[in-house]
Amino acid sequence: MLEKAVAANTTVTGDMTGSAVANSGIHIGSEGEGGLLNPEQSARFLDYMFDATVIGKVARTVRMRADTTEIDRIGVGEKLMVLATEADNTGSNSAVSFSKISLTTKKLRLDWELSTESLEDNIEGPDLEDHIARMMATQAGNDIEDVLLNGNTSLTSDNLYKAFDGVVKKAKTYGHVVDAAGAGISRALFNSALKELPRKYKQRRSDLRFLAGSNLIQDFLYANSIGTNQTIPQDIASSIIRGDTQPLGGPAGYVAPFAFGIPIVEVPLLPEAQDGDYSGETGNHGDVHLTFPNNVVIGIKRDVTVYRFFWPRKDAIEYTLYTRVGVQIEQADAWVVVKNVKVAS
């Protein structure tokens, strides 16, 4: 854990799947010295920072050597085969298309400090430093996922969101968009999203996921629990057979009943207080996304770096965390977003 590692004069490395390793490295009380993640392990985020996140666990992560990198894409299109005729040499070679997407990172930081008095006078004593470090590590992971999802460079009021455009803005700009025009979440809405997705991606139907915010998922579960018109026993049964049924009190990212065989994944940080952009809009709105989870590409340029200093003149311990991250959608054609979905009041 971060708090244990830093308090014990160590450097922590880890991944997003549940492991963390401590290595000797942080020097306490020496200005200009700090803890840097082990280079051999720096291809992954620290696991404990992402315990409460969703996208960070399933997205594709790319280690970058420069601020900006290009990711190659390849495609062959559809219906390339033709009817063959005996002794006929009139065929033509099928083309393979190559393209690139650009991924750029931005530098992010988190600072906090603790005075010696706060450590002496609280009920936890010295353990308060561990407690607060754990809270800060969790919040850092949440904030990184927040900007990966909701970043918007056109904003002027939010210093974090304007770092770069997140996947929500990119999906609405480059993906397939369905306008719910104020309709609530329903099976009809999921049906519209599936029909909008190009058929070539439906070959991998088992890998697709619906992504929605917590309140929209709650609206869907509530609607299905109070009447029989939208009851989906076949979806519930399929999830039980596959062993994918999760408890309703599960963590962020748990799967609600399937919609047409595709899991609905809760992403709590997806925005659900948006104003609608249709005529006569009222109330709060969210989005429902349909894509492959690894269609999100997270770029990491700088190792997650945590510095810990004791400042004698301030009689306080100061922490500073740095990282450099960016996000991109690998294949926007494989992304459908249903906008203007009304959140029930």
Side-chain angles (χ1 to χ4, degrees):
M1 298 296 293
L2 173 63
E3 71 279 3
K4 298 296 184 184
V6 178
N9 307 344
T10 61
T11 300
V12 173
T13 66
D15 56 32
M16 293 203 268
T17 58
S19 61
V21 182
N23 302 285
S24 170
I26 291 183
H27 304 278
I28 306 300
S30 298
E31 294 188 19
E33 296 182 339
L36 178 65
L37 294 186
N38 188 328
E40 287 78 12
Q41 299 294 328
S42 62
R44 299 171 181 172
F45 280 112
L46 297 178
D47 169 71
Y48 48 82
M49 287 179 59
F50 291 88
D51 283 346
T53 65
V54 179
I55 300 299
K57 293 179 180 178
V58 298
R60 174 185 168 194
T61 302
V62 175
R63 288 293 300 157
M64 298 171 56
R65 297 178 179 271
D67 296 343
T68 300
T69 190
E70 291 184 333
I71 300 173
D72 294 321
R73 296 186 299 183
I74 185 172
V76 295
E78 296 184 67
K79 296 182 69 174
L80 302 181
M81 297 190 71
V82 297
L83 180 65
T85 303
E86 182 179 356
D88 182 20
N89 190 27
T90 59
S92 59
N93 292 329
S94 298
V96 178
S97 62
F98 297 91
S99 61
K100 297 177 182 290
I101 57 173
S102 178
L103 181 58
T104 302
T105 63
K106 293 293 184 178
K107 182 179 178 180
L108 306 177
R109 67 181 289 172
L110 173 65
D111 309 284
W112 73 96
E113 70 175 20
L114 289 171
S115 66
T116 300
E117 286 81 1
S118 66
L119 296 176
E120 293 173 342
D121 299 341
N122 76 91
I123 193 172
E124 292 187 74
D127 290 340
L128 178 67
E129 183 178 4
D130 294 352
H131 189 174
I132 292 180
R134 183 189 311 118
M135 295 171 63
M136 290 295 182
T138 300
Q139 188 58 47
N142 288 338
D143 287 349
I144 291 173
E145 173 147 309
D146 195 1
V147 70
L148 292 176
L149 289 169
N150 304 312
N152 189 336
T153 55
S154 65
L155 296 177
T156 58
S157 58
D158 193 296
N159 190 47
L160 177 63
Y161 282 171
K162 67 181 182 181
F164 49 78
D165 289 334
V167 296
V168 171
K169 183 177 179 180
K170 291 178 184 291
K172 290 182 176 179
T173 303
Y174 305 109
H176 300 275
V177 179
V178 176
D179 192 349
I185 192 168
S186 65
R187 282 172 59 80
L189 186 147
F190 292 121
N191 181 60
S192 298
L194 275 168
K195 288 188 174 182
E196 185 69 20
L197 186 72
R199 65 176 186 173
K200 60 183 178 181
Y201 302 113
K202 296 173 185 176
Q203 294 279 85
R204 297 170 51 200
R205 191 184 185 99
S206 61
D207 296 329
L208 287 168
R209 296 292 185 272
F210 285 109
L211 310 175
S214 301
N215 289 331
L216 286 179
I217 287 184
Q218 182 60 36
D219 291 346
F220 184 65
L221 293 173
Y222 180 72
N224 289 331
S225 67
I226 62 174
T228 59
N229 291 337
Q230 296 194 53
T231 302
I232 44 176
Q234 70 276 17
D235 285 344
I236 297 174
S238 67
S239 66
I240 294 174
I241 292 172
R242 300 182 206 186
D244 293 326
T245 299
Q246 299 286 337
L248 293 182
Y254 84 95
V255 177
F258 291 35
F260 303 105
I262 297 175
I264 311 168
V265 179
E266 178 187 9
V267 184
L269 293 179
L270 281 174
E272 293 184 310
Q274 304 174 86
D275 293 329
D277 59 6
Y278 59 94
S279 177
E281 68 85 17
T282 58
N284 293 328
H285 301 78
D287 305 315
V288 174
H289 300 259
L290 173 64
T291 190
F292 304 101
N294 61 4
N295 200 12
V296 178
V297 182
I298 299 175
I300 309 296
K301 171 62 170 64
R302 173 180 289 197
D303 305 321
V304 178
T305 311
V306 183
Y307 295 97
R308 178 187 188 273
F309 299 98
F310 176 74
W311 297 105
R313 292 185 181 181
K314 294 179 66 177
D315 194 20
I317 300 170
E318 180 181 280
Y319 287 86
T320 304
L321 181 151
Y322 289 104
T323 188
R324 293 178 68 172
V325 298
V327 69
Q328 186 58 275
I329 295 176
E330 183 171 8
Q331 183 55 265
D333 189 45
W335 197 298
V336 177
V337 54
V338 184
K339 67 175 185 176
N340 292 327
V341 183
K342 189 72 168 288
V343 179
S345 58

